Amino acid sequence: MERGSDAILATERYGSQERWSYRLKDGRMEREREGEERRGTAASLMSVFKSVFLPQGYPESVSEDYIQYQFWDTVQAFSSSLSGTLATQASLRGVGVGDREATVAAATITWILRDGTGMLGRILFAWVKGSKLDCDAKKWRLFADVLNDFAMFIEIVAPAFPACFTLIICIAGVFKSLVGVAGGATRAALTVHQARRDNMADVSAKDGSQETLVNMAGLLVSLLLIPVVTDNSVLTFALFFLFTSLHLFANYWAVRSVIMETLNQARLSILTHQYLLDGRVLTPALANHREPVFPEFSSSVPVRLGVRLGEVVDSPEELQLALKNNDNRYLIGVKQGAVCVCLGRGVSVQEEVRSVFQVQCLRAVLSSHCPLGGAVGALRESWTQADARDLWGLVSESHKRIDRIFPAFFTGLKEAGWQTDRTLLDWDEWRADWGKKTD
């Protein structure tokens, strides 16, 4: 290569954001940024902003739904910050700030009682619902934000009831403690989903930076807001409901924007029903858009996963019935109107998915209002023609039919982009061993 030529010797890039080239100029190798002549001050500031508030390697290092979720999360955090300011002002007024007759001891006792009841609530909620938060992160994320708004509303109205102020504040403290557990746990679950390069710590840290920036903006607005709303209850309530409405709206769209590729019970149910209808396996985007984000308080046929063996079979005869036509490491039984699954030790992820797929088919058969054709329609027809009380016969027949349709369904899951090496199904920890079926 001749001296003084402008030939490119090598190129490099920093993620997908920056590209550099090494050129030979006057016998020396010089490094230049591609497009540097078009790079202005605004672009430089944007680059600094991204490096401070976005994970390293963005957008390749995070999930595709990251930026949409973070946008709505920012909106909800800002509105929640303003609502929290109004609630804090009401709480301080309730404990006697500005009242000459109020004592420091009384205010301190109120605050201690509020924090103490909140701590107990946090422990109890984590004990009762801790294992459910991973499985339905979207629902519990939205639940936490709705409960947080309700707790702040209680704090705002508490000063109007001075005789019950301490009790009301303690109730609000319990609600906020539940919010802390559910919100923090589900945020961690969503962070695991967003981190695509084992960079959960970086994603979590940058999320914290974003939230801190939003809270700083909320504090500045609050400084202007407090003098306006002080001693004006009507304006306080009007602004609170405005900010709360914005908060709930943003939270709803935040959880709706999340597209998780891991199977939980709700998403697998949606996939199963669609597959039984027309043989299609929905993509993660389509299934997530159909996933309910509000708690469902009723179910025509309840499902219980990972139960004790005694909740599936009551006798050696029932054990043999449960093993009929069943070569899997799980047992299914219909007890007291619920479909129960007992797992054997060493069960694979594929068998876990298969068992819930089979459970959804059984639920469709047992639910007369669910008009499904294909294998489930044939299973329902054969069961109706036989003794409708023979639930073990239904389970046995379902094993044979699932043997024929599940392999294609599981292959379709992989092709559609679903994770099939792990699940978020709501399994309890019971595992059992049973003898081999006798012919």
Side-chain angles (χ1 to χ4, degrees):
M1 189 173 297
E2 296 182 1
R3 183 183 181 87
S5 64
D6 197 29
I8 296 178
L9 300 178
T11 60
E12 65 182 3
R13 67 176 187 174
Y14 186 81
S16 61
Q17 307 300 314
E18 299 180 12
R19 295 179 180 274
W20 299 78
S21 61
Y22 290 86
R23 297 177 180 272
L24 181 64
K25 290 187 176 181
D26 299 326
R28 294 170 32 179
M29 187 169 68
E30 296 186 1
R31 185 171 180 260
E32 296 179 354
R33 179 167 182 161
E34 296 182 7
E36 189 72 30
E37 66 278 359
R38 298 187 300 273
R39 184 175 174 82
T41 303
S44 299
L45 292 176
M46 181 58 68
S47 178
V48 173
F49 180 86
K50 288 181 178 179
S51 65
V52 173
F53 293 103
L54 294 177
Q56 179 177 318
Y58 171 85
E60 289 85 1
S61 61
V62 294
S63 59
E64 294 182 359
D65 56 20
Y66 177 83
I67 199 65
Q68 186 176 1
Y69 173 81
Q70 293 302 126
F71 169 78
W72 289 113
D73 191 52
T74 298
V75 174
Q76 70 86 18
F78 180 74
S79 56
S80 180
S81 177
L82 299 180
S83 298
T85 298
L86 299 176
T88 300
Q89 183 195 39
S91 297
L92 292 175
R93 187 168 63 250
V95 298
V97 174
D99 186 353
R100 294 181 179 180
E101 297 181 359
T103 64
V104 174
T108 303
I109 291 173
T110 300
W111 231 249
I112 290 175
L113 290 174
R114 188 196 71 162
D115 290 346
T117 52
M119 292 174 186
L120 290 175
R122 186 178 299 114
I123 294 172
L124 291 174
F125 182 75
W127 171 45
V128 175
K129 292 294 184 182
S131 62
K132 311 292 183 182
L133 300 179
D134 281 304
C135 303
D136 291 305
K138 296 182 187 180
K139 288 182 181 180
W140 287 107
R141 176 69 178 172
L142 192 58
F143 166 83
D145 289 301
V146 172
L147 190 60
N148 186 53
D149 289 335
F150 184 64
M152 288 190 289
F153 173 74
I154 291 177
E155 289 179 337
I156 288 179
V157 301
F161 304 92
C164 303
F165 178 80
T166 300
L167 175 62
I168 295 174
I169 285 297
C170 287
I171 294 174
V174 172
F175 287 165
K176 285 196 169 183
S177 70
L178 305 187
V179 171
V181 176
T186 53
R187 181 180 292 274
L190 294 175
T191 301
V192 171
H193 157 70
Q194 292 172 339
R196 294 305 166 94
R197 290 184 179 173
D198 294 328
N199 57 338
M200 180 178 171
D202 185 28
V203 174
S204 180
K206 296 302 171 57
D207 181 71
S209 297
Q210 296 169 26
E211 186 170 358
T212 301
L213 180 64
V214 172
N215 289 335
M216 290 173 60
L219 288 176
L220 294 176
V221 176
S222 297
L223 291 175
L224 302 176
L225 190 65
I226 289 300
V228 178
V229 301
T230 301
D231 299 325
N232 191 334
S233 299
V234 175
L235 182 58
T236 297
F237 276 102
L239 289 176
F240 175 78
F241 283 116
L242 174 64
F243 296 144
T244 298
S245 299
L246 178 60
H247 179 241
L248 295 177
F249 177 81
N251 268 293
Y252 174 79
W253 285 108
V255 296
R256 296 296 286 175
S257 67
V258 176
I259 300 176
M260 304 187 78
E261 300 88 0
T262 311
L263 295 169
N264 68 354
Q265 197 164 326
R267 292 189 285 273
L268 185 51
S269 176
I270 293 169
L271 292 169
T272 301
H273 279 252
Q274 187 64 50
Y275 185 77
L276 295 175
L277 280 172
D278 56 18
R280 288 190 303 136
V281 177
L282 298 177
T283 63
L286 290 175
N288 275 266
H289 290 158
R290 298 186 187 182
E291 181 183 4
V293 294
F294 294 103
E296 297 172 308
F297 298 101
S298 62
S299 176
S300 56
V301 182
V303 174
R304 301 174 61 191
L305 304 178
V307 301
R308 295 181 293 108
L309 179 62
E311 297 181 54
V312 176
V313 296
D314 296 327
S315 64
E317 292 75 20
E318 285 196 344
L319 178 59
Q320 291 303 313
L321 292 173
L323 291 170
K324 187 178 180 181
N325 297 324
N326 181 12
D327 295 323
N328 305 290
R329 284 191 289 270
Y330 64 83
L331 301 177
I332 293 181
V334 182
K335 293 290 184 178
Q336 299 179 347
V339 183
C340 303
V341 182
C342 175
L343 293 181
R345 287 198 295 179
V347 65
S348 65
V349 175
Q350 181 173 346
E351 285 180 309
E352 289 182 2
V353 175
R354 175 195 163 106
S355 67
V356 179
F357 178 81
Q358 186 171 348
V359 163
Q360 296 301 331
C361 293
L362 288 170
R363 288 186 67 199
V365 172
L366 295 170
S367 301
S368 58
H369 65 276
C370 186
L372 293 178
V376 172
L379 180 59
R380 177 187 292 169
E381 182 179 356
S382 64
W383 182 57
T384 304
Q385 292 173 352
D387 186 355
R389 295 170 297 178
D390 184 15
L391 294 174
W392 286 116
L394 171 64
V395 172
S396 176
E397 184 67 21
S398 71
H399 284 302
K400 294 192 296 184
R401 296 187 184 272
I402 297 303
D403 283 339
R404 293 196 292 267
I405 65 175
F406 178 74
F409 173 76
F410 194 74
T411 300
L413 290 178
K414 297 179 180 179
E415 294 175 349
W418 291 96
Q419 291 186 10
T420 56
D421 57 341
R422 69 183 187 94
T423 68
L424 292 175
L425 297 171
D426 187 16
W427 294 106
D428 206 343
E429 292 301 309
W430 294 102
R431 299 295 183 270
D433 285 321
W434 50 83
K436 293 184 178 180
K437 176 183 62 174
T438 58
D439 297 329

